[in-house]
Amino acid sequence: MGVVAACGDAGGATEGTASPTSTTSTTDTTGATATTDPGTDTTAPTTGDPCAGTTRCPVEGEWPLPKLSDYDFFVEPMVDLVPKDGVVPYTVAAPLWSDAAGKGRFIVLPEGGKIGFTDGEGWSFPDGTTIIKSFWFDHDRRDPAAGRRVIETRLLVREAGAWKSFTYLWDDAQTEATLLKIGKRVDVEFIDEEGVAQVEEYIVPNLDQCGSCHERDDTSELLGVITHQLNMEIEVDGQAVNQLEWMASQDMFSGALPDVQTLPRLVDPFGDEPLETRARSYLHANCSHCHRLGGGAGKSGLVFLAWEEVHAKFGVCKVPAAAGPGTGGNDYDIAPRHPEKSIVAFRMNSLDPEIKMPELPNRVIDKRGVALIEAWIAGMDAATYPDCKP
């Protein structure tokens, strides 16, 4: 891996931050809120370290670097995940379920680099781009203010026109993350929503497993950084703004954006949009990376892309491509008005390695996700499918 350098030209300091001196509240996928003040300047002569301030320093050395701190992505204490100038936060409308982990997401462009925008999935990125995603668990799921434990930070780095994956495992002291190549199982202790102490095994994937989600036709692709996922409202200094427009204001795109109202979008699966729209957004975020042409489950014939219009392709009255324990004895992937007879709901509600979906990591069932898909199936009009008799 060659040398990649980036300084403070790519964007603001925290999600929704228009001014480097403003105080910003950011919310993760579990609803936790952290308030940070990125305007504190601790540069020399206070510390004698020219890279201790809020602007990212040029990075030197062959990538992957041995420690996460070597990249100078975050203001100290690094575990707070407060990004430096040049490290641009983003969020997605429909997050991927990761066993209830919270996530922090960031984009780092090489100095002077721009994103080539399209109205779909095919954004183009210059070599040297880094996509950052950190995973954490709240200590007390009833009270996010009780703090959290960050488990891992994953990097996708663009080099020679391809994405390469690297994973960094955080230490118990929460001061540093170190390059990890072989994966690891981590026991996470927390208080659940009912106030009961729990221990959950969290799987940090090895680098080969990254391809199970990101590879399409043997090429690694981005999943969340697409128009449909980022075309949403975020909060900037107390004001709601469109995230794509905010990114454009950070000079991240190579050209002007079209009217964002004309662009496609996913929605919050647990928000206020129509049930079908929310269910299809959920299935896109959690299933479409495999269930699509060229994906790992492409041969199944199931296509969970949010823009797929043929009902049989996203499972309605579709006979599964292969029999076995994964069917649960059911005849159709989705049986209208009968979630209890639908293979999709059956597999989502299992932790059996021979049955469960998604395959990784899924050590914990997404109960809200199961309820959402079951409600969608239960509300379908069976009369629309007269030949479908589960």
Side-chain angles (χ1 to χ4, degrees), residues 49-67:
D49 181 357
C51 296
T54 58
T55 297
R56 185 171 179 237
C57 280
V59 178
E60 298 179 354
E62 292 293 318
W63 288 31
L65 301 174
K67 298 180 297 182

Side-chain angles (χ1 to χ4, degrees), residues 295-310:
K299 292 182 180 180
S300 71
L302 274 174
V303 178
F304 284 128
L305 295 167
W307 49 86
E308 176 57 60
E309 296 180 352
V310 179

Side-chain angles (χ1 to χ4, degrees), residues 193-216:
E193 292 82 355
E194 284 72 44
V196 179
Q198 301 282 3
V199 178
E200 176 183 315
E201 183 182 64
Y202 176 81
I203 298 177
V204 180
N206 63 51
L207 296 185
D208 291 336
Q209 289 175 307
C210 295
S212 64
C213 289
H214 284 277
E215 282 191 6
R216 195 180 314 149

Side-chain angles (χ1 to χ4, degrees), residues 124-360:
S124 62
F125 293 84
D127 283 352
T129 299
T130 302
I131 309 297
I132 307 166
K133 186 157 70 169
S134 294
F135 296 73
W136 67 76
F137 286 85
D138 292 322
H139 294 315
D140 188 336
R141 293 184 179 172
R142 302 165 304 169
D143 178 19
R148 65 192 184 188
R149 177 185 175 187
V150 183
I151 305 295
E152 61 165 319
T153 295
R154 302 177 192 174
L155 307 183
L156 278 171
V157 180
R158 189 77 172 172
E159 184 188 55
W163 293 104
K164 294 190 175 182
S165 304
F166 307 110
T167 299
Y168 290 80
L169 180 69
W170 283 79
D171 59 21
D172 291 339
Q174 297 283 272
T175 58
E176 184 62 89
T178 305
L179 183 66
L180 180 73
K181 296 182 180 180
I182 59 174
K184 191 174 179 67
R185 295 171 184 263
V186 179
D187 287 335
V188 180
E189 299 179 0
F190 60 92
I191 305 298
D192 68 15
E193 292 82 355
E194 284 72 44
V196 179
Q198 301 282 3
V199 178
E200 176 183 315
E201 183 182 64
Y202 176 81
I203 298 177
V204 180
N206 63 51
L207 296 185
D208 291 336
Q209 289 175 307
C210 295
S212 64
C213 289
H214 284 277
E215 282 191 6
R216 195 180 314 149
D217 291 325
D218 298 321
T219 300
S220 187
E221 303 285 356
L222 297 182
L223 302 178
V225 188
I226 64 173
T227 296
H228 305 71
Q229 283 278 31
L230 272 61
N231 185 18
M232 60 177 291
E233 284 192 346
I234 60 172
E235 187 174 294
V236 177
D237 293 334
Q239 299 295 320
V241 299
N242 180 273
Q243 182 169 220
L244 293 177
E245 292 180 336
W246 179 79
M247 292 173 68
S249 74
Q250 307 304 299
D251 198 25
M252 296 182 70
F253 297 117
S254 58
L257 291 180
D259 181 356
V260 296
Q261 298 301 319
T262 68
L263 297 174
R265 67 185 185 101
L266 299 183
V267 302
D268 178 358
F270 308 106
D272 300 323
E273 298 286 343
L275 177 59
E276 180 172 358
T277 305
R278 293 188 286 116
R280 295 293 305 277
S281 292
Y282 180 92
L283 290 173
H284 180 101
N286 287 275
C287 311
S288 71
H289 46 272
C290 284
H291 284 282
R292 60 183 297 160
L293 189 64
K299 292 182 180 180
S300 71
L302 274 174
V303 178
F304 284 128
L305 295 167
W307 49 86
E308 176 57 60
E309 296 180 352
V310 179
H311 289 206
K313 286 190 175 182
F314 58 80
V316 182
C317 298
K318 179 186 175 302
V319 177
T327 68
N330 299 305
D331 295 326
Y332 301 111
D333 289 313
I334 293 177
R337 298 196 71 81
H338 291 283
E340 79 285 358
K341 297 181 180 180
S342 298
I343 296 170
V344 168
F346 170 71
R347 301 191 74 173
M348 287 178 61
N349 204 29
S350 175
L351 292 177
D352 186 325
E354 298 297 318
I355 297 173
K356 67 177 184 176
M357 283 291 167
E359 294 179 323
L360 293 173

Side-chain angles (χ1 to χ4, degrees), residues 101-124:
K103 301 172 189 176
R105 305 171 180 84
F106 307 89
I107 299 172
V108 182
L109 294 174
E111 191 160 1
K114 308 290 182 186
I115 300 169
F117 180 85
T118 74
D119 62 3
E121 296 181 294
W123 290 17
S124 62

Side-chain angles (χ1 to χ4, degrees), residues 40-54 76 84:
T40 302
D41 188 352
T42 58
T43 54
T46 305
T47 66
D49 181 357
C51 296
T54 58
E76 291 291 343
K84 293 196 172 187

